[in-house]
Amino acid sequence: MKKVLLITYLTFLSIFLYANGITLTEHSKIKELSSFTIRGEIDLRIEKNFSAQVKFRTLNHEGGMKVRCLEILKDDVVDNKSGKWLYILLTSPMWVDSGEWIKKHEKFLIFLPDDMPLFDYEE
């Protein structure tokens, strides 16, 4: 009986993880070419320059920003928050706070705070 319950539990757990993806809270595990969803407000820079002007800001909505990490640039502190600078590729189109529609396959420089979880993480 215990075996049946254990197998049932593991089956449902694997279905849940597959259906909802993996949530990543430890950003040191991010790898180049990994894919994930960021939910929250993120500044998007078109230029690959840390001091470049912010061009867009994401909306904080349930769909989030679906990206592929092209490069992990450096760890840094911005506005008293520790995080990483990433060069990313959008893998799905999205709206930004200005009301503009950003097409997929656009590339941006972002600062990802350490306390921001990532959803649907795939290596």
Side-chain angles (χ1 to χ4, degrees):
M1 183 64 167
K2 288 183 180 180
K3 268 187 172 178
V4 172
L5 288 174
L6 179 62
I7 291 170
T8 304
Y9 172 75
L10 292 174
T11 301
F12 281 113
L13 180 63
S14 64
I15 290 170
F16 176 78
L17 289 175
Y18 179 75
N20 295 312
I22 296 172
T23 300
L24 185 68
T25 55
E26 179 57 45
H27 294 171
S28 65
K29 296 180 181 179
I30 296 173
K31 296 180 176 151
E32 290 182 0
L33 302 181
S34 59
S35 298
F36 46 88
T37 301
I38 304 171
R39 295 183 186 141
E41 295 179 358
I42 296 286
D43 293 335
L44 304 172
R45 292 167 172 81
I46 293 175
E47 297 175 44
K48 197 173 167 184
N49 177 344
F50 304 118
S51 59
Q53 181 179 1
V54 173
K55 179 69 175 175
F56 305 108
R57 181 179 261 282
T58 63
L59 298 171
N60 186 12
H61 59 84
E62 66 282 349
M65 177 174 64
K66 295 170 181 20
V67 304
R68 173 164 289 132
C69 178
L70 299 176
E71 273 185 78
I72 302 165
L73 299 169
K74 70 174 184 172
D75 293 332
D76 202 356
V77 176
V78 175
D79 297 331
N80 294 319
K81 289 188 175 190
S82 296
K84 292 186 177 308
W85 285 99
L86 304 175
Y87 192 58
I88 55 101
L89 173 74
L90 287 183
T91 58
S92 183
M94 67 175 186
W95 294 102
V96 291
D97 68 347
S98 64
E100 293 180 67
W101 181 249
I102 307 298
K103 296 178 182 178
K104 68 180 184 177
H105 304 298
E106 296 284 332
K107 295 176 184 176
F108 295 102
L109 176 67
I110 65 167
F111 178 76
L112 180 67
D114 287 338
D115 62 355
M116 185 170 281
L118 305 177
F119 301 91
D120 306 320
Y121 181 80
E122 293 179 18
E123 288 185 7

